[in-house]
Amino acid sequence: MTPSLPLARRALRVLQGAAGVLGARLLDRRRPLLVGWAVTNRCDLHCSYCDRPVAADRELTPEEALAVADDIGRSGVTLTNLSGGEPLLRADLGAIIEKLRDGGVMVSVCTNGRLLPRRLEEVRAANVLTVSIDGPEGVHDAQRGTGSFRSAVAGLEAARARGLRVRVHAVLTRHNLDSFDWFLDLGRAHHTALTFSPAQDFYLASPGVADMVPVRERYREFMDRAIAAREAGDDRLGDSVACLRYLRNWPDYQPIGCSAGQIFCRLEPDGALHSCGAVVADEHPVDVRQGLRRAFARLEPKGCKSCWCNTEVEMNLLYEMRLEALASALRTVTSVALGKQPRAAGVA
Ligand SMILES: C[S@@+](CC[C@H](N)C(=O)[O-])C[C@H]1O[C@@H](n2cnc3c(N)ncnc32)[C@H](O)[C@@H]1O
Ligand code: SF4
Ligand code: SF4
């Protein structure tokens, strides 16, 4: 069990990651540096924009999942984002996190927060937790289910009290675009960074999402405020200005260097590897159990024209070698590697 790896080893993995991005971009050497791993499709909520819970079927057994986690470490992956469904529903999540950390991989976990107070010891080895909070209680509960706001905030507070690094992610819909100041207050009160993505009609989105997509002009006003705050140095905004500017253009397509299948990939609960979550329905999966590096080499990335998830946009800007995205990634990765809490601007 290794809650914190020696600093030199972590620094080396970060440098390997940076070299990997350069190699992929300049020398066309594809290799997985970031893995988005949906460890389960099961969920204890059924948010109005998400159909993950109805997709539940086969998932890797605990033995298979540990072997995959071990393989991810041996493949030199820099960061793995564990998501779902609700990842905390996997009883072996703690063992998966520890196996990844033992392999030198930085780990983030994206959760609805409900089970966090009961599972803190198991997730404490993760470098960062992202809790999904969509706005004030009424808005959040309307989108994510009655009582889900209080349990998300309780999870956030419990994780913070345990000294874990926590971020908040919000899905922007037509119902929370008036809440920008509320989000800033949340960031100040809980010392967390905030990230945003528009509600998308993508793979496994609920048909209900169609009634929730933001009104474009109001969405852009929200993002303009986020850009202005980030430009003014407010570090409650967790994404780079370049990423916020890109997302601001939703839903109008903007060309972006797609790094899916070049430096990152998406792993589904049953072990199916894809280049990106956005193209799961259009792509032949490759079974990860043959080995991550081998499976990754067999991917046939096609890219797409609908890049609206903040983590993928940041990754693509990095891949494009945009200086600002590089600086932002370096700042995040360094503070994560050093185990620092993000400081919320304006907090004494
Ligand atoms: C699929 S969830 C899995 C992790 C966890 N269950 C949670 O809710 O945080 C990952 C993120 O995707 C977001 N999400 C789900 N459906 C979405 C959609 N249709 N458009 C945009 N984001 C969505 C969630 O709100 C959450 O922040
Ligand atoms: S967004 Fe997360 S919590 Fe909500 S239904 Fe989807 S997987 Fe479950
Ligand atoms: S959403 Fe599309 S453009 Fe963006 S990383 Fe995925 S495949 Fe590439």
Side-chain angles (χ1 to χ4, degrees), residues 200 202 246 253-261 264 275-280 283 301-309 311-313 315-316:
Q200 299 175 72
F202 65 172
Y246 184 92
Y253 173 65
Q254 303 288 307
I256 190 164
C258 174
S259 60
F264 88 86
S275 63
C276 179
V279 295
V280 163
E283 196 179 65
K302 293 189 180 77
C304 77
K305 294 197 166 184
S306 183
C307 203
W308 302 121
C309 177
T311 48
E312 279 139 25
V313 172
M315 202 68 197
N316 289 343

Side-chain angles (χ1 to χ4, degrees), residues 240-262:
S240 66
V241 173
C243 175
L244 292 169
R245 283 192 184 285
Y246 184 92
L247 289 175
R248 187 222 180 250
N249 289 317
W250 172 90
D252 298 335
Y253 173 65
Q254 303 288 307
I256 190 164
C258 174
S259 60
Q262 308 298 328

Side-chain angles (χ1 to χ4, degrees), residues 93-250:
L93 186 72
I96 292 172
I97 294 171
E98 280 173 15
K99 181 63 80 178
L100 289 165
R101 292 297 316 273
D102 284 347
V105 184
M106 286 189 280
V107 177
S108 67
V109 178
C110 184
T111 172
N112 63 34
R114 213 178 67 84
L115 295 172
L116 266 181
R118 276 177 269 162
R119 305 285 302 281
L120 278 181
E121 286 313 302
E122 290 153 82
V123 298
R124 76 187 193 291
N127 300 85
V128 61
L129 305 175
T130 299
V131 180
S132 296
I133 297 184
D134 281 356
E137 185 166 3
V139 176
H140 179 101
D141 280 6
Q143 296 191 172
R144 297 180 60 93
T146 306
S148 62
F149 176 83
R150 290 190 180 195
S151 58
V153 172
L156 180 68
E157 284 173 346
R160 286 263 317 142
R162 180 70 176 76
L164 305 183
R165 184 186 164 93
V166 188
R167 293 161 74 98
V168 166
H169 181 74
V171 175
L172 295 180
T173 67
R174 62 182 58 197
H175 306 299
N176 56 10
L177 297 176
D178 290 333
S179 303
F180 185 74
D181 290 322
W182 184 91
F183 280 115
L184 285 187
D185 289 345
L186 181 83
R188 181 181 291 113
H190 295 281
H191 296 227
T192 68
L194 310 156
T195 58
F196 306 99
S197 293
Q200 299 175 72
D201 182 10
F202 65 172
Y203 162 64
L204 282 178
S206 146
V209 78
D211 299 327
M212 304 180 76
V213 291
V215 176
R216 186 171 71 172
E217 285 66 33
R218 291 188 50 230
Y219 167 85
R220 289 186 177 179
E221 283 165 23
F222 183 104
M223 294 306 286
D224 283 340
R225 293 198 61 195
I227 292 164
R230 190 74 191 89
E231 282 179 337
D234 190 334
D235 59 6
R236 282 170 292 184
L237 279 306
D239 283 315
S240 66
V241 173
C243 175
L244 292 169
R245 283 192 184 285
Y246 184 92
L247 289 175
R248 187 222 180 250
N249 289 317
W250 172 90

Side-chain angles (χ1 to χ4, degrees), residues 41-53 84-87 111-112 132 143-144 171:
N41 275 333
R42 288 175 285 135
C43 195
D44 46 356
L45 297 181
H46 197 163
C47 305
S48 353
Y49 42 64
C50 177
D51 257 358
R52 272 270 159 191
E86 176 47 45
T111 172
N112 63 34
S132 296
Q143 296 191 172
R144 297 180 60 93
V171 175

